[in-house]
Structures are given as C-alpha cells and as structure tokens.
Amino acid sequence: MSTSTGGNGASSTGGVRALRLLLLVLYVGIALPGALVTPVPRMLLLAPLVGAFAAVVAGLVNPGFPAQPRARRAVLGAFAGAALTVPFSSGVGLLGPSGAWLVIGMILLAATVVGSWIAECDSAPLPLSDPRRVAALRDFVSVLPTEALVREWRATGTPLQVATDPQERAALVRVRGIILDELVRRDPAAMARWLEDGGPADPGTDVRRQRGPAG
C-alpha cells in the first residue's frame, strides 16, 4: 500500500509540474510578442515597478528571505512574473477575441497549480534552519523528550557541515545551541563527560536515559 501511495504522490507531482510548465510556456509565449508592441516607457518604467512591488511583497511574506536560496528564488520569480504582466496584457490584445478564452484557461491552470503548491507547503516539513522551526524549538525545548532533542542534534550535523550561506549556518548553530543548553540543564554530569571527551558528534549515548519532562 505504501508503494501505491508513493506512486500516486509521484504521478501527482509530475502532473502539477507539467501544468506549471504549460502555464509558463503560455505566459512567456504571449508576453514576448506583447513586448514588441508595448510602448517603451511602459516596458522600462511600469514593468520594473510592478515587478519590484511583487518582489517586496514576496520577501515580506516569506520568513526564509533572504537567508534561504529557495526564498530568494521565490522573490526573483515574483519579480519576473509580475513584470511580465505588462507585455502579457499587450500580447493578449494581439490575440483578439480568442485571447479572453485563453486567459480564462490560464487562470484555471494557475488555480490548480497554486492549490497544489499550497497543499505541498502545508504537508512539507520545515527546513532545519527555518526561523519558524528555530522559534518553535526555543518555545518547546523544555517539554520535548531528550530522544527528540538528540535526533534534532543529529539532523543538524551534516547540514551545518555543508551549508555555505552564512545566515543558514547561523540558524543551524542557534538550533544546536538551544539543544545543547537544554541537555546540559537536564543532565549536567553526562554533558560534562561528553565535553571532556571532546564533544563527539553524538551526545545521545550519555544522555539517552534522561528523558526530560515529556519523556
């Protein structure tokens, strides 16, 4: 059953990607000829202004911006997509009456893609360095089982070693600092032994028996 579920999820993701690509091709395909007939002042002034406004909004609503590369790509995409609305409107005019029906179809496609994206965001776990995850850990660290803290410590080890973004590394360091402070509070003696051993990668061997308030 799990294999079937995984296959359905993969096919659903592939279908959404195909719709997204189709929408992108239609959007850019209409905007390009529209750019040829759009007055130069609108292209040079209005299009960047609309794009900048969309980029600012995207940056404000995305808590990972500017630290996370994915958030930066989202902001860049918002700028490009909004800026293209100016030549796109001109391109729709070139299509005549059929342009209205094409726009309706694209709106339906966009609604499907956005709905799938929202569902994907709701079900996907937050990245380890996401500010919301760091804040949640800080708020609930005192009631989490020690085993959960050790798992989080292990999960942040490799990302910290390979991270190149300074802000992402700083977020991961904050996560490990929160975990380390709580482990020291729960079992000072065990953590002292761990530090005497040079702070090996996994403190779980010494503190696993200390389950904490929620254990």
Side-chain angles (χ1 to χ4, degrees), residues 2-180:
S2 61
T3 303
S4 176
T5 303
N8 292 336
S11 62
S12 175
T13 302
V16 172
R17 288 178 178 174
L19 289 177
R20 189 184 307 167
L21 179 60
L22 175 60
L23 185 62
L24 178 63
V25 170
L26 289 173
Y27 189 61
V28 176
I30 295 174
L32 287 180
L36 300 177
V37 297
T38 302
V40 174
R42 293 185 63 188
M43 286 297 299
L44 296 181
L45 297 177
L46 182 59
L49 183 62
V50 173
F53 176 78
V56 169
V57 173
L60 291 175
V61 301
N62 197 323
F65 183 79
Q68 298 175 2
R70 183 176 182 180
R72 294 196 294 267
R73 289 195 297 269
V75 171
L76 181 60
F79 174 84
L84 283 176
T85 58
V86 175
F88 176 81
S89 61
S90 299
V92 170
L94 294 176
L95 298 176
S98 61
W101 291 106
L102 183 59
V103 170
I104 293 174
M106 292 179 65
I107 291 174
L108 294 176
L109 281 177
T112 302
V113 171
V114 171
S116 301
W117 175 73
I118 292 175
E120 180 182 344
C121 290
D122 288 341
S123 60
L126 293 175
L128 293 171
S129 59
D130 191 288
R132 291 170 293 178
R133 183 163 180 165
V134 177
L137 178 63
R138 184 184 301 110
D139 293 339
F140 298 102
V141 66
S142 62
V143 297
L144 289 174
T146 300
E147 292 179 356
L149 297 180
V150 172
R151 284 197 301 270
E152 193 78 2
W153 177 275
R154 293 170 181 161
T156 56
T158 300
L160 181 60
Q161 294 176 1
V162 301
T164 57
D165 187 280
Q167 294 185 345
E168 182 179 359
R169 288 183 58 86
L172 291 169
V173 169
R174 284 196 298 272
V175 168
R176 291 170 75 86
I178 293 170
I179 296 171
L180 187 60

Side-chain angles (χ1 to χ4, degrees), residues 189-200:
M191 293 305 296
R193 291 194 300 271
W194 178 73
L195 291 172
E196 289 176 358
D197 292 338

